[in-house]
Amino acid sequence: MTLLILGLLLWWGAHLFKRAAPDARANLGDRGKGYVAIALGAALVLMVIGYRSAGHMPVYTPLPGMGHANNTLMLISVFLFGVGGTKGTLYPKMRHPMLWGTVIWSGAHLLVNGDLASLVLFGGIGLWALVEMAVINRTPWQRPAPVRGVKGDAMNLVGTLVLFGLIAAVHIWLGYNPFLGTYG
């Protein structure tokens, strides 16, 4: 559990560094991007190792049938992750599509995982996304102009279905079949 918590702290710190210490981040120049990328990579590694080694300590029992809700929410989450990249009709309407996708991803996983490590990991990432939005919202938002419109949404939908299939395949490979309700 220690590695999981260290990974979460590093994740939070690396993401909030720019806003918490803007002068220090600016002094790093372009090198700062590399440092942040390395910190985020290390955070991911620590979280994965920490989560997989944490053991199963039940906190609550997920309700029956939550796998369907999880899968539906995951489709929405993955779609939101692509909004900024495909620049469809939602692009100029949502300020934080990736962070909202992260919050939905977090909630979806908490619906089907009731153990302490899942609560720490998914709850910690979801809480980070909410804090990140609150911090970003302290600055004015220049609403972007739509670029691709419905074409962007169609591209995002196709990408969402492909990525969701890949994510499901990785989960099945790891022994957690999201379609049969077998979760770790």
Side-chain angles (χ1 to χ4, degrees), residues 76 79-84 86-97 141 143-150 152-153 156:
I76 295 166
F79 184 84
L80 289 174
F81 268 87
V83 166
T86 56
K87 296 178 177 50
T89 56
L90 281 178
Y91 176 64
K93 295 178 175 115
M94 286 187 79
R95 184 164 185 184
H96 309 290
W141 182 41
R143 191 176 298 274
V147 178
R148 292 189 187 104
V150 176
D153 292 333
N156 192 13

Side-chain angles (χ1 to χ4, degrees), residues 15-16 19-20 93-100 103 128-143:
H15 275 98
L16 292 170
R19 288 169 177 79
K93 295 178 175 115
M94 286 187 79
R95 184 164 185 184
H96 309 290
M98 286 184 86
L99 291 170
W100 280 116
V103 170
W128 158 78
L130 292 170
V131 167
E132 187 80 24
M133 283 189 272
V135 170
I136 293 170
N137 283 346
R138 293 174 29 198
T139 61
W141 182 41
Q142 183 68 35
R143 191 176 298 274

Side-chain angles (χ1 to χ4, degrees), residues 97-109:
M98 286 184 86
L99 291 170
W100 280 116
T102 302
V103 170
I104 293 169
W105 167 87
S106 167
H109 282 77

Side-chain angles (χ1 to χ4, degrees), residues 29-68:
D30 284 340
R31 291 180 323 200
K33 291 178 185 177
Y35 295 147
V36 169
I38 290 168
L40 291 173
L44 283 172
V45 168
L46 287 170
M47 287 187 288
V48 167
I49 293 170
Y51 181 75
R52 292 191 54 90
S53 66
H56 187 78
M57 221 154 117
V59 176
Y60 60 91
T61 302
L63 296 171
M66 285 295 105
H68 301 297

